[in-house]
Amino acid sequence: EYCSVEMENVFKDLGYERKETSVAMVLQLNNLVLKNQDSLNETIEIKENNGHLDQWMVPLIAAFNSTFNVAEQYAKTHEQALKKNVRLHHFSLYQNNKPITSMTLSLNNKIARIDDVGTLPEFQGRGYATQLMQHALIEAKKLGASHCFLEASESGLSIYQQLGFKPLFKNHIYAR
């Protein structure tokens, strides 16, 4: 929102163009809205996968059109952070013992942040990410967080707004 025309021209001159827009959002955890999840399959299980990041990254690879090598490097940085006692929680939602949705919850004092929300494409649109988000938000609240932040694609806004997240500002994403 704050990118001037002059800055846009600098990006353009460097060979970058605006590819997408994301929205920074916040939720006061005492305003958490829990959605009814009765329609979801009963073979669902949610696990914290801090010790199994190889399973946590499976849905993320497909959801973000990534590769195993990229995801493996990303998981290694998360492993290093965990070794340094960074408060990261890697959650995955399983159906029939298969991870189909994953996400990351990070905590710093009373602030939580959600990242890496991804669902296998063939399972998208069925409420699995919402169920996993609710689980993580309840955990964040239990762990003492008062607010949760995230950055959403414009296409994902409705999911987060249904949970009570409010937009703060937009970010324009540039790439070559």
Side-chain angles (χ1 to χ4, degrees), residues 7 92 98 106 122 124 128 149 168 170:
M7 195 61 178
S92 297
K98 177 182 178 180
S106 56
E122 63 269 27
Q124 291 176 2
Y128 296 117
F149 293 86
L168 293 170
K170 291 183 179 181

Side-chain angles (χ1 to χ4, degrees), residues 1-2 25 32 34 46 53 60 72 92 99 129-130 136 140-141 144 154-155 157 162 164 169:
E1 290 180 337
Y2 304 108
M25 304 184 85
L32 179 60
L34 299 176
I46 295 175
L53 295 182
L60 303 180
E72 185 177 44
S92 297
T130 300
K141 192 172 179 179
E154 287 187 311
S155 62
L157 285 180
Q162 288 175 17
F169 56 88

Side-chain angles (χ1 to χ4, degrees), residues 7-54:
M7 195 61 178
E8 292 254 357
N9 289 332
V10 168
F11 287 142
K12 187 176 181 179
D13 291 344
L14 292 171
Y16 290 88
E17 60 183 81
R18 188 187 307 177
K19 295 292 186 180
E20 60 184 292
T21 300
S22 66
V23 180
M25 304 184 85
V26 66
L27 169 68
Q28 288 185 310
L29 290 173
N30 61 349
N31 293 338
L32 179 60
V33 176
L34 299 176
K35 288 186 68 180
N36 184 354
Q37 299 292 321
D38 291 340
S39 63
L40 292 180
N41 193 317
E42 293 182 15
T43 60
I44 297 302
E45 180 181 9
I46 295 175
K47 297 179 186 178
E48 184 167 352
N49 274 339
N50 282 357
H52 299 284
L53 295 182
D54 57 322

Side-chain angles (χ1 to χ4, degrees), residues 36-103:
N36 184 354
Q37 299 292 321
D38 291 340
S39 63
L40 292 180
N41 193 317
E42 293 182 15
T43 60
I44 297 302
E45 180 181 9
I46 295 175
K47 297 179 186 178
E48 184 167 352
N49 274 339
N50 282 357
H52 299 284
L53 295 182
D54 57 322
Q55 293 178 32
W56 163 80
M57 68 186 203
V58 169
L60 303 180
I61 293 169
F64 296 112
N65 295 316
S66 189
T67 65
F68 177 82
N69 290 339
V70 169
E72 185 177 44
Q73 290 302 311
Y74 189 55
K76 285 181 182 180
T77 63
H78 281 240
E79 286 175 2
Q80 293 299 318
L82 288 168
K83 288 178 184 175
K84 293 179 181 179
N85 295 320
V86 174
R87 295 176 66 197
L88 292 176
H89 301 270
H90 301 85
F91 295 108
S92 297
L93 182 145
Y94 290 75
Q95 182 178 46
N96 299 321
N97 297 315
K98 177 182 178 180
I100 60 171
T101 302
S102 291
M103 59 155 302

